[in-house]
Amino acid sequence: MGDRGGGCCPPMDLFRSEAMQLVQLIIPMESAHLTVSYLGDLGLIQFKDLNSDKSPFQRTYAAQIKRCGEMARKLRFFKEQMLKAGFSPSAKSLGETNIGFDDLEVKLGELEAELVEMNANGDKLQRGYNELLEYKLVLQKAGEFFTSAQRSATAQQREMESQQMGDQTLETPLLHEQETTTDLSKQVKLGFITGLVPREKSMAFERILFRATRGNVFLKQVPAEEPITDPVSGEKMEKNVFVVFYSGERAKNKILKICEAFGANRYPFAEDLGKQALMITEVSGRISELKTTIDAGLLQRDNLLRTIGDQFEQWNLKVKTEKSIYHTLNMLSLDVTKKCLVAEGWSPVFATKQIQEALQRAAFDSNSQVGAIFQVLHTRESPPTYFRTNKFTSAFQEIVDAYGVAKYQEANPGVYTIVTFPFLFAVMFGDWGHGICLLLATLYFIVREKKLSSQKLGDITEMTFGGRYVIMMMSLFSIYTGLVYNEFFSVPFELFGRSAYACRDLSCRDATTVGLIKVRDTYPFGVDPAWHGSRSELPFLNSLKMKMSILLGVAQMNLGIILSYFNAIFFRNSLNVWFQFIPQMIFLNSLFGYLSFLIIVKWCTGSQADLYHILIYMFLSPTDELGENQLFPGQKITQQVLLLLALVSVPWMLLPKPFLLKRQHENRHQGQSYAPLESTDETLLSVANNDSHGHDHEEFEFSEVFVHQLIHTIEFVLGAVSNTASYLRLWALSLAHSELSVVFYEKVLLLAWGYNNIIILIVGIIVFIFATVGVLLIMETLSAFLHALRLHWVEFQNKFYEGDGYKFYPFSFALLDDEDD
Amino acid sequence: MYGFEAMTFNIHGGYLEAIVRGHRAGLLTAADYNNLCQCETLDDMKMHLSATEYGPYLQNEPSPLHTTTIVEKCTLKLVDEYKHMLCQATEPLSTFLEYITYGHMIDNVVLIVTGTLHERDVQELLEKCHPLGMFDSIATLAVAQNMRELYRLVLVDTPLAPYFSECITSEDLDDMNIEIMRNTLYKAYLEDFYKFCQKLGGATAEIMSDLLAFEADRRAVNITINSIGTELTRDDRRKLYSNFGLLYPYGHEELAVCEDIDQVRGAMEKYPPYQSIFSKLSYGESQMLDKAFYEEEVKRLCLAFEQQFHYGVFFAYMRLREQEIRNLMWISECVAQNQKSRVHDSVVFIF
């Protein structure tokens, strides 16, 4: 499709997307892996999936992909273990040891087995350790309980005995004594179970015990002070030490089952005090023993993990690249002889040489008998869009791509966006103080670019960082427009000489309200500071900014239409030039171009004419006399001609194109539809089919084309008015910005200053800073950004931009990292 | 206020409805099933599933995979989704969501009780329980010897307690009793759920009553078929049917006296919605009945998504996901045992 630049302008890299070609590679089986790997290093070819009808596990290299998945799982396991052990994989791997894929698989398998075994051993030890800890706790708590119980029991008994001794009179019934002795004999049969139960379950545990034994148990619980690691789950939890007394075998079974159900760990406990002390010392001894073993095991494991950590990143990268290579290989189709793989893909034309070199190198390095064959295929398929951007232009290209990826080799609005976007932003954000703040913020990002780009940032920071060059341009332009508006945090400065205006006499005190006279030459650059705070400030600035917005808008829309001309020339579409570009230019410029002309004339001549009036009555009564609104001689006849032109251009846009398209279509198929009449019906059909496939044209539906053109025309005609009005947002936002900053400056800072109180002043300054940063620098930046975006997407790009292409995603190892995490 | 729920539904239910519809979009499609059925090994299945919503749950499983792992992980996903929804839900949706799990609770209770009756290890039984039907003291069920104890010890604390009122007897537990208990509980549960949905009113009541009626009728048919040739008397059988649904009450009269599968068929064919199910089966066949019922159920569940602003979608989604897990289990069993010809016997396509 046409040569670069269309022959009308010098080649501009960004203006047209790279010329692409569909290439076919025939790669011998033995060098396929190496070839794809070299191509991945190069990263300039986008492979087409030639096996899309096959499910993933039916493809040639499914087994290898499965192996890669398995290795990736092992690596994830290592990573998890390392995170648990508390050290991160070192970012830089030591030494580039080139380890083969198969060796790596074996090595990973070994390491995993080793680590799993170590973990299992460690877990077993840890479990024993935790059990012992629990046991010790039970011994302590239950021991306390038993001694205290015994003490109180003996005390009670003594009391009772003393009572008995005291009360042993003749009246004492003989039975009483017998009763106590029988009680004692019964007590012997009482069994007990000690253990630990998780605290949150303890209430339910008690309830169930009570219900199951109908209240025939005695449960004593003591909370353990510190959370204990549960031996089974290995989690820290709060637990209660319990002792249950029961009588009878059935109750015991029930209690045991309940204990099991509640995950309560039971531990044997001796009633004898001496034995208890012995157990405690024994348990403590074993605990310290186990502790040293566990520590040694942990040390060993840490060492292993550290050696893994040193090479982790390298392995990870290796596995990722291998996986992507096999994925790519799976997209290639197998030759009939099963000795070659056939690849198809898009690559930029300029990369031809590099790709061929890579192929040769691969063939050489893999000692392959035959080299890979590289050939260019011809196709009618639309190639992907590829712009070679750098870190400066990529953000601007992103702004355009967010609306729609350019059609292949279509004029790219991204080129103009680099200037117009920050400029339109700055028109709305004109304040050189705020501009400097923004510039400083973005310079921070730019200076620390290297460091920040390698680390993970938050959502919003990431976005700001990505657009740092856009913001830099925006801030530079807003410093410029700020100088034009003469605003520094809403305060004007006499930077470029002194104000042209002064009081009529020396006695006038309030220069802003009393009439001024011009005493010097016009202020050389931007708005004269004397306007600030005067009564006529707003009317003056409004009129200025409004007119400026219209000028900018008309200029940008004209640029858009001119770009549609470049597109038409480039794609050799003369219809679009004559029946779209020319009437559109005429329509827009005879109305709003004329308005812009009037504005400039008015500025130059200082006339008092009412432009609204002129424009409105140009439609309503074009024959009326202009009177005082006359700006130049012959204005009336000019207006009549322009109006006529505008009216003529509407049917010009609407009618000829669909009819011409229809004729073109008929011409193209004339020969084919008449010629086969001589032959039989069958050939007619087959030829018709061939034809429709060969040219792959769509059915030409006249009504559809006409309706489409009608919509397009209406959209343009109405759009010309509404889009011009839409550019007035430049004025509105600029006004809002300057008014807000005046409010913050006067009603916060100056007000606080007026109190002559240091505290109020400090509070005032703090409020001022927060308001400036929060509202003006952040909110206003966002809103101005959005409005500039809209002006580009809607008002500018709808004049020429189709945006129905698709992006070029090359197979490249460099892009692998961004994919996963 | 029928017809006005659309006005206020989204205040509390909108977010979760969106969530559940999003989940529903993640159900496996016929194309997925086709691919799964072509798998040679379980690893192939894993590879395919890793491209679906099950991916994150399966990716960290080491390679020799087992059917149980697949099913376990897939269930885990459902449970996670359910828990998330339950967390976000407000009344009455949270109660509604809890109702959905009661069925699993009943099954779990029955599973544990039967298991202990046959002297199985409690931990092993617990692993087999459906995670949605777990409650705190479930392991304690093993202690109980008869229904009364079962109720008094454990179930009194659970939401199932009210359903037990009909089946408290002091008889010792045996297989027959347990099966009757399961059905009695289910009957009470379905009736309670039905009442609850009626109370909610609006589209929820309309759709849920249809779904629950189908469930009740299916259970009635299953009870009838399973009790043919057992010592269950007609009156006892009659008592196990839920008191609502399309078959209630006249169909129940007929079912209660059925003595073979063809009589059941005769009784059911009088009801147009079930005619189509039975017309698919040849006479005397009851094997394929389950699948036919599942297919019909899936069709109805999918229809629940056609209407907006009701809670039926949550029920439908949970059921569909369970069906999907059953499908996956069947497919992976077939793949693991090299019985690929039988894959289509039991898989119910959802879309």
Side-chain angles (χ1 to χ4, degrees):
Chain A
M1 311 215 172
D3 46 349
R4 172 171 287 256
C8 66
C9 43
M12 249 198 296
D13 268 350
L14 264 183
F15 190 61
R16 303 270 176 212
S17 63
E18 291 295 332
M20 304 297 273
Q21 58 192 6
L22 185 66
V23 298
Q24 189 183 40
L25 307 176
I26 301 174
I27 313 167
M29 207 66 164
E30 64 266 23
S31 65
H33 183 265
L34 202 65
T35 311
V36 171
S37 143
Y38 283 164
L39 289 177
D41 283 332
L42 193 63
L44 279 172
I45 188 162
Q46 177 182 358
F47 288 98
K48 276 211 282 189
D49 192 354
L50 300 177
N51 298 327
S52 50
D53 52 331
K54 285 189 188 167
S55 56
F57 53 85
Q58 285 171 331
R59 300 187 177 199
T60 329
Y61 290 93
Q64 277 87 341
I65 287 191
K66 248 183 269 175
R67 273 165 62 195
C68 288
E70 191 63 21
M71 281 157 77
R73 185 191 62 75
K74 280 171 192 158
L75 286 171
R76 274 198 300 275
F77 172 69
F78 293 151
K79 190 165 189 180
E80 190 188 314
Q81 290 292 322
M82 279 189 275
L83 285 181
K84 232 188 225 171
F87 48 92
S88 56
S90 60
K92 278 277 160 252
S93 54
L94 315 163
E96 279 289 306
T97 46
N98 238 333
I99 184 163
F101 181 59
D102 298 320
D103 296 339
L104 184 61
E105 190 181 13
V106 174
K107 185 154 189 186
L108 287 183
E110 278 169 6
L111 284 173
E112 195 204 11
E114 201 176 334
L115 198 59
V116 165
E117 199 189 325
M118 267 185 195
N119 278 344
N121 285 340
D123 282 350
K124 215 186 282 171
L125 288 175
Q126 197 71 42
R127 192 174 186 168
Y129 179 69
N130 287 335
E131 262 170 14
L132 282 176
L133 278 185
E134 282 197 344
Y135 192 14
K136 191 176 168 189
L137 202 74
V138 169
L139 285 173
Q140 282 168 351
K141 293 283 176 196
E144 274 168 33
F145 166 68
F146 268 91
T147 46
S148 70
Q150 217 155 27
R151 207 173 300 128
S152 63
T154 48
Q156 223 169 10
Q157 212 165 12
R158 204 171 297 136
E159 201 178 308
M160 213 191 274
E161 272 169 21
S162 64
Q163 235 177 9
Q164 280 176 357
M165 295 292 264
D167 291 350
Q168 207 159 41
T169 52
L170 284 170
E171 289 97 67
T172 315
L174 290 165
L175 266 172
H176 190 276
E177 207 170 325
Q178 276 171 345
E179 244 174 22
T180 48
T181 47
T182 46
D183 268 353
L184 278 171
S185 64
K186 258 188 194 164
Q187 234 167 22
V188 179
K189 282 182 199 161
L190 277 184
F192 65 90
I193 294 172
T194 51
L196 283 150
V197 68
R199 191 167 299 163
E200 70 253 31
K201 285 189 189 168
S202 62
M203 282 304 289
F205 181 62
E206 192 166 349
R207 204 160 49 223
I208 295 279
L209 274 181
F210 185 84
R211 279 192 210 138
T213 56
R214 300 171 190 241
N216 289 326
V217 286
F218 175 72
L219 178 77
K220 171 88 183 167
Q221 297 199 57
V222 188
E225 289 84 9
E226 295 159 3
I228 313 159
T229 335
D230 187 61
V232 182
S233 64
E235 279 167 33
K236 284 222 177 250
M237 49 169 77
E238 305 217 302
K239 287 195 167 187
N240 280 357
V241 175
F242 68 84
V243 185
V244 198
F245 293 94
Y246 58 85
S247 65
E249 200 59 24
R250 268 187 73 165
K252 183 182 177 185
N253 281 339
K254 271 186 187 168
I255 291 171
L256 287 181
K257 269 187 184 166
I258 291 171
C259 284
E260 202 180 334
F262 275 88
N265 304 320
R266 286 168 288 109
Y267 295 97
F269 185 79
E271 256 178 295
D272 191 11
L273 269 177
K275 261 190 194 164
Q276 277 176 29
L278 207 69
M279 297 273 280
I280 286 183
T281 48
E282 192 190 322
V283 166
S284 314
R286 274 174 59 195
I287 284 178
S288 62
E289 242 172 65
L290 265 179
K291 183 83 189 149
T292 49
T293 329
I294 287 173
D295 282 347
L298 276 181
L299 197 70
Q300 202 183 352
R301 203 182 71 131
D302 281 359
N303 280 336
L304 180 69
L305 282 178
R306 203 161 287 133
T307 49
I308 294 173
D310 284 343
Q311 288 179 303
F312 179 79
E313 282 302 322
Q314 197 190 335
W315 291 344
N316 203 8
L317 195 68
K318 175 88 182 163
V319 170
K320 267 189 199 166
T321 41
E322 287 294 331
K323 194 171 177 186
S324 67
I325 287 173
Y326 286 119
H327 263 302
T328 311
L329 284 173
N330 265 341
M331 295 204 279
L332 314 186
S333 71
L334 213 56
D335 189 53
V336 264
T337 56
K338 301 228 168 197
K339 281 182 184 155
C340 294
L341 284 170
V342 180
E344 276 178 31
W346 294 105
S347 81
V349 173
F350 72 83
T352 313
K353 215 170 170 58
Q354 286 164 282
I355 291 173
Q356 276 168 337
E357 263 170 31
L359 293 181
Q360 275 168 10
R361 206 147 39 90
F364 182 74
D365 287 353
S366 61
N367 296 324
S368 160
Q369 306 258 320
V370 266
I373 298 164
F374 175 93
Q375 65 190 45
V376 178
L377 299 179
H378 293 284
T379 175
R380 298 183 63 84
E381 221 178 311
S382 157
T385 309
Y386 175 43
F387 292 109
R388 272 196 283 179
T389 54
N390 52 27
K391 64 182 175 183
F392 180 75
T393 51
S394 64
F396 292 97
Q397 190 62 47
E398 283 290 310
I399 289 177
V400 174
D401 286 350
Y403 175 79
V405 176
K407 201 168 78 179
Y408 177 63
Q409 298 229 310
E410 177 180 26
N412 177 17
V415 181
Y416 302 96
T417 305
I418 295 174
V419 176
T420 54
F421 185 84
F423 180 68
L424 288 190
F425 170 86
V427 170
M428 293 179 266
F429 197 78
D431 189 313
W432 58 281
H434 296 151
I436 287 174
C437 292
L438 267 191
L439 185 65
L440 289 179
T442 185
L443 279 181
Y444 168 80
F445 279 121
I446 290 173
V447 167
R448 307 192 51 178
E449 190 174 66
K450 280 235 169 63
K451 189 159 176 275
L452 287 175
S453 59
S454 60
Q455 70 195 45
K456 267 229 169 322
L457 305 162
D459 253 358
I460 292 172
T461 339
E462 185 98 48
M463 227 149 57
T464 324
F465 179 70
R468 59 197 181 278
Y469 288 104
V470 180
I471 299 176
M472 186 188 76
M473 292 297 280
M474 288 182 341
S475 60
L476 288 178
F477 275 101
S478 53
I479 292 172
Y480 166 74
T481 49
L483 289 173
V484 173
Y485 296 161
N486 204 347
E487 284 188 16
F488 176 82
F489 295 106
S490 84
V491 185
F493 279 86
E494 295 190 331
L495 282 179
F496 303 99
R498 302 195 47 207
S499 167
Y501 298 93
C503 287
R504 246 184 272 269
D505 52 73
L506 293 171
S507 65
C508 92
R509 284 146 85 212
D510 195 350
T512 55
T513 51
V514 187
L516 301 173
I517 50 164
K518 190 169 177 181
V519 290
R520 266 177 292 274
D521 282 343
T522 314
Y523 192 69
F525 182 83
V527 175
D528 194 310
W531 285 107
H532 182 76
S534 65
R535 255 191 241 160
S536 49
E537 184 197 9
L538 268 186
F540 168 70
L541 283 180
N542 281 350
S543 142
L544 174 76
K545 287 178 177 172
M546 212 188 298
K547 284 169 184 158
M548 200 177 63
S549 311
I550 289 178
L551 289 184
L552 292 174
V554 171
Q556 200 182 19
M557 286 192 290
N558 268 316
L559 174 64
I561 300 176
I562 290 169
L563 285 177
S564 82
Y565 167 74
F566 285 148
N567 270 343
I569 290 289
F570 186 80
F571 293 115
R572 306 257 159 85
N573 191 345
S574 58
L575 237 92
N576 277 358
V577 179
W578 291 106
F579 304 104
Q580 197 157 314
F581 164 68
I582 291 180
Q584 281 185 354
M585 278 306 266
I586 290 174
F587 184 81
L588 182 70
N589 285 314
S590 59
L591 300 181
F592 296 102
Y594 177 60
L595 177 62
S596 313
F597 171 73
L598 288 182
I599 289 171
I600 293 171
V601 169
K602 191 179 169 185
W603 274 347
C604 294
T605 57
S607 150
Q608 297 283 316
D610 185 358
L611 296 186
Y612 299 118
H613 195 269
I614 295 179
L615 204 70
I616 289 168
Y617 280 90
M618 180 173 153
F619 287 99
L620 293 185
S621 47
T623 50
D624 277 11
E625 284 307 316
L626 289 158
E628 56 181 7
N629 287 330
Q630 176 111 20
L631 276 165
F632 56 93
Q635 189 179 353
K636 192 175 146 194
I637 191 79
T638 320
Q639 285 185 5
Q640 283 166 353
V641 168
L642 287 176
L643 190 63
L644 207 64
L645 277 175
L647 288 180
V648 165
S649 61
V650 175
W652 186 356
M653 260 184 270
L654 172 64
L655 295 173
K657 198 178 160 190
F659 288 104
L660 286 171
L661 277 176
K662 191 178 178 208
R663 213 180 65 198
Q664 244 178 30
H665 177 81
E666 279 166 1
N667 280 345
R668 203 181 296 149
H669 296 283
Q670 208 168 26
Q672 289 135 5
S673 49
Y674 287 116
L677 274 179
E678 298 151 17
S679 55
T680 59
D681 279 355
E682 277 174 41
T683 46
L684 172 82
L685 276 175
S686 67
V687 168
N689 280 342
N690 278 346
D691 162 56
S692 62
H693 283 295
H695 286 264
D696 83 320
H697 70 95
E698 306 93 63
E699 282 298 302
F700 187 84
E701 189 89 39
F702 179 73
S703 58
E704 213 168 272
V705 174
F706 190 80
V707 168
H708 185 256
Q709 188 66 21
L710 186 70
I711 292 171
H712 202 80
T713 310
I714 292 174
E715 197 191 316
F716 182 81
V717 170
L718 296 182
V721 182
S722 67
N723 290 355
T724 312
S726 184
Y727 275 96
L728 288 178
R729 72 184 67 234
L730 291 175
W731 154 58
L733 263 95
S734 152
L735 175 72
H737 184 83
S738 66
E739 285 305 307
L740 268 178
S741 54
V742 167
V743 167
F744 289 138
Y745 177 70
E746 279 179 1
K747 298 293 169 206
V748 178
L749 203 60
L750 288 191
L751 197 71
W753 188 266
Y755 277 103
N756 270 334
N757 183 328
I758 189 77
I759 298 168
I760 292 180
L761 184 63
I762 289 173
V763 170
I765 287 174
I766 291 173
V767 171
F768 175 72
I769 289 174
F770 273 98
T772 304
V773 171
V775 178
L776 292 176
L777 287 180
I778 296 176
M779 300 292 284
E780 277 281 291
T781 309
L782 273 179
S783 82
F785 185 94
L786 283 179
H787 283 284
L789 202 62
R790 184 219 141 92
L791 286 179
H792 277 83
W793 282 356
V794 181
E795 273 76 31
F796 175 50
Q797 292 182 7
N798 80 351
K799 300 284 183 295
F800 65 99
Y801 191 58
E802 306 237 354
D804 56 353
Y806 62 103
K807 239 181 174 165
F808 177 60
Y809 281 111
F811 166 63
S812 162
F813 294 146
L815 298 176
L816 273 184
D817 280 343
D818 320 336
E819 262 173 35
D820 272 10
D821 311 303
Chain B
M1 269 223 298
Y2 182 74
F4 288 94
E5 69 259 16
M7 229 148 90
T8 52
F9 181 87
N10 277 350
I11 299 172
H12 292 296
Y15 171 66
L16 280 176
E17 191 182 352
I19 292 270
V20 84
R21 280 176 190 276
H23 284 324
R24 183 250 188 192
L27 289 171
L28 299 180
T29 59
D32 286 319
Y33 281 116
N34 276 339
N35 279 332
L36 284 172
C37 292
Q38 289 167 15
C39 289
E40 295 291 336
T41 62
L42 288 183
D43 281 334
D44 286 346
M45 280 189 72
K46 177 185 162 190
M47 194 159 148
H48 188 85
L49 285 178
S50 62
T52 65
E53 286 201 347
Y54 291 115
Y57 288 86
L58 285 170
Q59 68 172 1
N60 280 339
E61 288 311 307
S63 206
L65 219 55
H66 296 290
T67 317
T68 44
T69 336
I70 293 182
V71 174
E72 198 179 299
K73 292 292 162 186
C74 295
T75 316
L76 183 67
K77 176 183 150 55
L78 175 64
V79 173
D80 283 351
E81 283 168 0
Y82 172 79
K83 281 189 181 148
H84 177 245
M85 290 196 286
L86 190 62
C87 272
Q88 301 283 339
T90 50
E91 283 299 333
L93 179 55
S94 53
T95 314
F96 182 88
L97 285 174
E98 276 164 9
Y99 263 106
I100 296 178
T101 61
Y102 293 168
H104 292 292
M105 250 182 225
I106 295 171
D107 286 340
N108 284 352
V109 168
V110 172
L111 178 79
I112 300 256
V113 172
T114 338
T116 32
L117 201 66
H118 295 282
E119 315 257 310
R120 302 280 285 279
D121 183 34
V122 180
Q123 285 307 321
E124 191 185 314
L125 289 171
L126 280 181
E127 276 166 23
K128 279 189 191 162
C129 284
H130 197 286
L132 279 182
M134 287 300 222
F135 49 94
D136 268 346
S137 43
I138 188 162
T140 344
L141 287 172
V143 184
Q145 297 293 327
N146 56 36
M147 301 259 194
R148 193 179 291 278
E149 269 191 347
L150 201 64
Y151 174 72
R152 223 167 39 81
L153 273 183
V154 190
L155 294 177
V156 70
D157 286 338
T158 65
L160 298 183
Y163 308 151
F164 245 84
S165 53
E166 273 189 48
C167 57
I168 299 176
T169 52
S170 295
E171 286 175 57
D172 274 357
L173 293 165
D174 59 38
D175 283 340
M176 178 84 170
N177 274 340
I178 292 171
E179 207 47 45
I180 291 176
M181 176 183 91
R182 183 213 293 271
N183 285 312
T184 324
L185 283 180
Y186 237 104
K187 171 194 170 177
Y189 156 60
L190 283 178
E191 279 169 6
D192 191 27
F193 198 3
Y194 185 77
K195 246 180 259 157
F196 176 71
C197 291
Q198 292 299 327
K199 208 174 74 198
L200 288 178
T204 308
E206 190 189 348
I207 285 164
M208 284 308 293
S209 62
D210 183 41
L211 292 174
L212 289 174
F214 180 78
E215 176 79 16
D217 291 345
R218 184 176 68 177
R219 290 199 75 82
V221 173
N222 279 341
I223 290 170
T224 313
I225 292 175
N226 289 335
S227 64
I228 290 173
T230 59
E231 59 211 40
L232 201 69
T233 62
R234 286 177 183 179
D235 281 346
D236 283 344
R237 192 196 280 181
R238 176 80 185 76
K239 267 191 215 152
L240 296 178
Y241 301 150
S242 306
N243 289 331
F244 67 99
L246 214 56
L247 299 177
Y248 176 76
Y250 303 111
H252 288 169
E253 302 288 344
E254 287 188 55
L255 281 180
V257 296
C258 287
E259 266 159 21
D260 60 40
I261 176 85
D262 287 336
Q263 284 180 19
V264 175
R265 187 187 180 115
M268 293 300 287
E269 273 181 344
K270 290 176 188 156
Y271 294 86
Y274 301 114
Q275 217 169 9
S276 60
I277 295 177
F278 279 87
S279 63
K280 282 182 206 159
L281 310 172
S282 52
Y283 275 90
E285 186 185 25
S286 63
Q287 301 296 319
M288 296 299 283
L289 189 63
D290 269 347
K291 192 188 174 190
F293 267 120
Y294 276 136
E295 270 169 2
E296 177 68 19
E297 190 191 5
V298 161
K299 210 167 20 175
R300 285 166 184 244
L301 291 172
C302 285
L303 282 178
F305 282 92
E306 300 296 310
Q307 202 168 337
Q308 235 187 323
F309 307 129
H310 63 96
Y311 293 155
V313 284
F314 296 96
F315 179 79
Y317 170 70
M318 298 294 285
R319 281 301 170 92
L320 285 175
R321 218 14 134 184
E322 280 163 24
Q323 180 60 44
E324 182 176 294
I325 292 169
R326 271 197 296 273
N327 287 344
L328 283 177
M329 179 157 75
W330 179 259
I331 295 175
S332 52
E333 279 296 345
C334 287
V335 168
Q337 297 176 12
N338 248 333
Q339 297 267 329
K340 282 196 2 194
S341 52
R342 297 192 53 201
V343 163
H344 289 281
D345 285 1
S346 174
V347 173
V348 180
F349 292 111
I350 290 177
F351 296 117

